[in-house]
Amino acid sequence: MSAAPVRSPTLRPHRMKKDESFLGKLGGTLARKKKAKEVSDLQEEGKNAINAPMNPSTVDIHPEDTLLEENEERTMIDPNSKEDPKFKELIKVLIDWINDVLVEERIIVKQLEEDLYDGQVLQKLLEKLADRKLNVAEVTQSEIGQKQKLQTVLEAVHDLLRPHGWTIKWNIDSIHGKNLISILHLLVALAMHFRAPIRLPEHVSVQVVVVRKREGLLQTTHVTEELTTTTEMMMGRFERDAFDTLFDHAPDKLSVVKKSLITFVNKHLNKLNLEVTELETQFADGVYLVLLMGLLEDYFVPLHNFYLTPESFDQKVHNVSFAFELMQDGGLKKPKARPEDVVNLDLKSTLRVLYNLFTKYKNVE
């Protein structure tokens, strides 16, 4: 339809007034609804603030986790913590390590909670690491059988770890209940105790939601769970040294230290037409360390004692370990670093080793 013609200018104000009246009513209605909603929201916020201590967290809670007996509690990892890159890295490193250890068993772990809870993989892992056979049934389907196997495996683990001061942060129920925090604590302890050739990410912590049932109501609290600290602390070496301070508080001076050590090692390695430009990478296979010790102590190291062109991780660890033995033969204390750490390109460990050599041999021509 075509619009009606405007007959008189006097009609225009009347129409505008009508439009304004309609919009005004609409605006007034919207304003009243908005104000009512604000009041409702404010009342709800006040209600939540009063009841907050008694209400569950906003974290999504699985229905199974609400089926608690009075005074029972259950824990779960905060979803945000699961997305932390260091937490993901820790899980990946541990899974890769387990699969490497059990490669001959043709066991492939994909998910820690689902693959380790029944004790089967843990049994094989411990038997391989400790080089001992456990007296347990090979396959158990029932819950009772699985827990019996877990008990045997965990008792063997505890016998190994307790004499070395490890705090046991897991039990049969938590492992069988697929508690990822407990499983991670167990695996980190095993990896450290058996000096696994891996580099665990340091200072990994997660937020854990603890759900408790009190007087019929679920209550939640958040706690921080520390999964790893530093390699030195987890290995039981708690004393800090100059390099801890250097890395933590004076990283700007790190380049000065590296330059001094490079000058020191090249002074001797140049005699064999060798030169170092990158400390963390060029000493990782142990060859330069062995040759350097021969130069510093003025003897020839027989080539059959080490791998001149190491290819595998184990060959590199052998070389670094052999260099450490030569250092001790020369009167130095056993290095604080692990051979595996040097091979894994840990700069702090490599600097510690080289600095000890520098301290003793800096005046050797």
Side-chain angles (χ1 to χ4, degrees):
M1 283 180 67
S2 60
V6 179
R7 297 179 180 179
S8 169
T10 58
L11 293 176
R12 222 180 269 273
H14 177 70
R15 187 173 181 180
M16 291 292 290
K17 186 176 180 181
K18 182 179 179 181
D19 290 346
E20 288 171 356
S21 176
F22 172 74
L23 292 174
K25 289 180 180 179
L26 178 61
T29 302
L30 292 174
R32 285 193 297 274
K33 287 184 177 180
K34 181 178 180 183
K35 187 170 183 180
K37 185 178 186 305
E38 289 175 348
V39 171
S40 175
D41 289 346
L42 185 61
Q43 290 175 338
E44 187 66 23
E45 185 178 348
K47 179 181 176 182
N48 290 340
I50 295 172
N51 295 331
M54 302 299 293
N55 286 340
S57 164
T58 56
V59 174
D60 292 336
I61 298 177
H62 194 277
E64 291 181 1
D65 294 320
T66 64
L67 303 176
L68 303 178
E69 298 294 331
E70 185 66 20
N71 296 321
E72 186 183 353
E73 72 175 40
R74 196 161 297 172
T75 61
M76 63 205 77
I77 301 173
D78 188 291
N80 292 328
S81 289
K82 287 186 176 181
E83 297 304 314
D84 185 278
K86 291 175 72 173
F87 179 73
K88 289 183 174 181
E89 181 188 357
L90 176 64
I91 292 177
K92 183 181 184 304
V93 169
L94 289 171
I95 289 177
D96 290 345
W97 169 58
I98 294 171
N99 288 334
D100 285 343
V101 173
L102 299 180
V103 64
E104 295 179 0
E105 301 286 339
R106 297 184 179 181
I107 292 175
I108 299 177
V109 171
K110 295 182 178 180
Q111 190 174 0
L112 294 178
E113 311 98 291
E114 296 298 329
D115 295 337
L116 270 67
Y117 81 96
D118 61 359
Q120 183 74 19
V121 174
L122 283 175
Q123 172 206 342
K124 297 297 184 182
L125 180 64
L126 184 60
E127 288 180 340
K128 196 74 173 179
L129 293 172
D131 193 22
R132 56 177 287 195
K133 187 73 175 174
L134 296 179
N135 185 22
V136 292
E138 282 299 316
V139 180
T140 53
Q141 298 294 335
S142 68
E143 179 178 340
I144 294 177
Q146 290 172 352
K147 286 190 172 183
Q148 287 175 341
K149 170 178 280 193
L150 263 179
Q151 181 176 355
T152 302
V153 173
L154 293 183
E155 284 177 353
V157 170
H158 298 168
D159 290 343
L160 289 170
L161 298 181
R162 278 203 176 102
H164 298 277
W166 280 97
T167 302
I168 307 302
K169 297 183 178 180
W170 57 85
N171 55 45
I172 297 172
D173 290 332
S174 64
I175 300 294
H176 195 267
K178 304 180 183 180
N179 185 306
L180 182 56
I181 294 296
S182 294
I183 293 172
L184 288 172
H185 277 308
L186 171 59
L187 293 176
V188 168
L190 288 175
M192 289 294 98
H193 177 77
F194 288 103
R195 294 177 173 265
I198 57 177
R199 186 70 184 172
L200 296 177
E202 299 184 343
H203 300 295
V204 180
S205 296
V206 291
Q207 287 293 313
V208 176
V209 183
V210 182
V211 183
R212 297 182 180 88
K213 193 167 188 178
R214 296 287 185 272
E215 298 180 358
L217 296 175
L218 294 179
Q219 302 176 12
T220 61
T221 56
H222 288 73
V223 296
T224 300
E225 188 74 21
E226 188 177 59
L227 296 172
T228 67
T229 54
T230 64
T231 300
E232 290 89 347
M233 290 184 70
M234 289 186 288
M235 289 299 296
R237 296 187 285 268
F238 296 97
E239 67 276 8
R240 289 176 59 83
D241 60 14
F243 284 100
D244 290 308
T245 305
L246 185 69
F247 273 74
D248 293 344
H249 304 293
D252 54 311
K253 296 181 180 179
L254 188 59
S255 60
V256 177
V257 174
K258 290 173 68 176
K259 185 176 180 180
S260 298
L261 292 176
I262 287 175
T263 301
F264 163 70
V265 297
N266 281 335
K267 173 184 174 182
H268 301 281
L269 289 175
N270 286 166
K271 300 172 186 176
L272 299 176
N273 293 322
L274 301 174
E275 186 168 359
V276 170
T277 56
E278 291 291 335
L279 294 177
E280 57 264 60
T281 57
Q282 289 181 268
F283 284 98
D285 63 6
V287 175
Y288 279 14
L289 274 179
V290 172
L291 297 177
L292 182 59
M293 280 309 303
L295 291 166
L296 293 173
E297 286 289 336
D298 195 24
Y299 56 68
F300 175 76
V301 182
L303 297 181
H304 65 267
N305 284 337
F306 67 104
Y307 298 94
L308 192 58
T309 56
E311 297 180 357
S312 68
F313 185 90
D314 289 340
Q315 289 177 350
K316 295 175 183 179
V317 170
H318 168 86
N319 282 355
V320 177
S321 299
F322 178 56
F324 284 8
E325 292 176 12
L326 297 179
M327 293 174 196
Q328 290 176 270
D329 291 342
L332 288 168
K333 292 183 178 179
K334 182 179 180 180
K336 180 179 181 181
R338 299 188 309 155
E340 292 86 355
D341 295 334
V342 176
V343 177
N344 277 325
L345 310 181
D346 181 58
L347 178 58
K348 191 188 295 186
S349 297
T350 304
L351 291 179
R352 283 192 175 109
V353 173
L354 295 176
Y355 185 74
N356 284 343
L357 296 179
F358 172 79
T359 303
K360 180 176 175 62
Y361 299 103
K362 60 185 175 183
N363 296 322
V364 173
E365 293 299 328

